Amino acid sequence: LESIIFLVGVISDFKDPSYVSSLPIPIILALILSRVVGCIFFQGTKKMKVEHFMRFCAVFLMFIAAGFFSQSMHKWQELDAFGAWSPLSARAWHNQKVFDASDCCNDKTNRFFVLMRALLGWQDQPTPIEFFAYAIYWVIAISFGVVMVRRAKKAIGAKLERMRAEMGAAKDKQQEEPAVAAKTSEDAATAEPADSNSNGGSSNEPASAAV
């Protein structure tokens, strides 16, 4: 699904239809190479700590999502959602470019920055709205992440406390069982002489009666 989204983002920048016809070969090669690289990666990272890998992947995906969000604002600008987009002289301040890096980092002709645009939402002529969108995304994402981490810590802490209480109760029960068994044995041992005495007394009564 992510590969399809990236390809759609790249294809939308192609002006010449002839480029589209050449896509099947690199797509097939990418699928094959991804399997090979995936096998090599998993075989080579068996001793790697999973939590570090998952953190890196989570942060990387957050950067990709931030780029998508910023790029979506650019598309809305092109649709005049935030005021006139064309002609250039009719643009409001929030639709004006902040800087122009198209000479060295063109996101339509430079292959590396075409990839960066598809992955991270790079724009060679960003506008204030795109900067605001990028900043707002990170504020929301970090705030949401902090809230979720705190909730997870509380839930884990409560679960640990419950497990400790259960383990403590089980340990107390195990300690009580030998004491109960010992007390039962003592009561049984005390009861046996009493039963013997009572039986002895009852057997002597008929003899005395006969005398």
Side-chain angles (χ1 to χ4, degrees):
L1 179 61
E2 292 176 0
S3 301
I4 293 171
I5 294 173
F6 295 154
L7 287 171
V8 169
V10 173
I11 291 171
S12 63
D13 293 330
F14 288 162
K15 305 300 180 183
D16 189 354
S18 62
Y19 287 107
V20 180
S21 62
S22 64
L23 281 176
I25 294 176
I27 290 173
I28 294 171
L29 289 175
L31 291 174
I32 295 172
L33 288 174
S34 64
R35 298 298 184 274
V36 174
V37 172
C39 291
I40 295 173
F41 176 79
F42 283 110
Q43 290 296 327
T45 56
K46 284 184 177 179
K47 296 181 180 180
M48 185 180 189
K49 290 186 178 181
V50 178
E51 61 175 313
H52 297 326
F53 174 73
M54 295 302 295
R55 286 176 182 174
F56 171 79
C57 290
V59 172
F60 184 64
L61 288 174
M62 289 178 70
F63 274 101
I64 292 175
F68 279 161
F69 185 67
S70 177
Q71 194 170 6
S72 68
M73 293 297 104
H74 180 78
K75 296 298 183 183
W76 280 109
Q77 285 178 292
E78 291 180 350
L79 296 173
D80 297 336
F82 302 103
W85 180 254
S86 60
L88 185 61
S89 59
R91 292 184 185 180
W93 68 271
H94 53 269
N95 287 332
Q96 296 287 340
K97 59 186 178 183
V98 177
F99 60 82
D100 189 353
S102 57
D103 292 335
C104 64
C105 310
N106 196 300
D107 61 4
K108 295 179 177 62
T109 58
N110 189 307
R111 293 183 179 180
F112 175 76
F113 287 100
V114 168
L115 178 62
M116 290 298 100
R117 180 179 182 180
L119 284 175
L120 304 176
W122 163 257
Q123 293 286 343
D124 55 9
Q125 297 179 354
T127 62
I129 285 182
E130 293 172 43
F131 277 107
F132 293 153
Y134 201 82
I136 289 170
Y137 167 84
W138 281 111
V139 169
I140 294 174
I142 292 173
S143 301
F144 184 75
V146 169
V147 172
M148 293 300 293
V149 168
R150 286 181 178 178
R151 286 185 179 180
K153 285 184 177 180
K154 288 182 179 179
I156 293 172
K159 189 174 182 179
L160 288 173
E161 290 294 331
R162 186 167 61 253
M163 290 176 64
R164 288 171 183 167
E166 291 176 355
M167 291 176 64
K171 188 176 181 180
D172 293 341
K173 186 177 181 181
Q174 289 178 355
Q175 291 177 351
E176 289 175 359
E177 285 178 355
V180 172
K183 185 177 182 181
T184 304
S185 301
E186 291 178 359
D187 293 342
T190 305
E192 285 179 0
D195 293 340
S196 300
N197 293 332
S198 61
N199 291 333
S202 60
S203 60
N204 292 331
E205 285 178 1
S208 60
V211 172

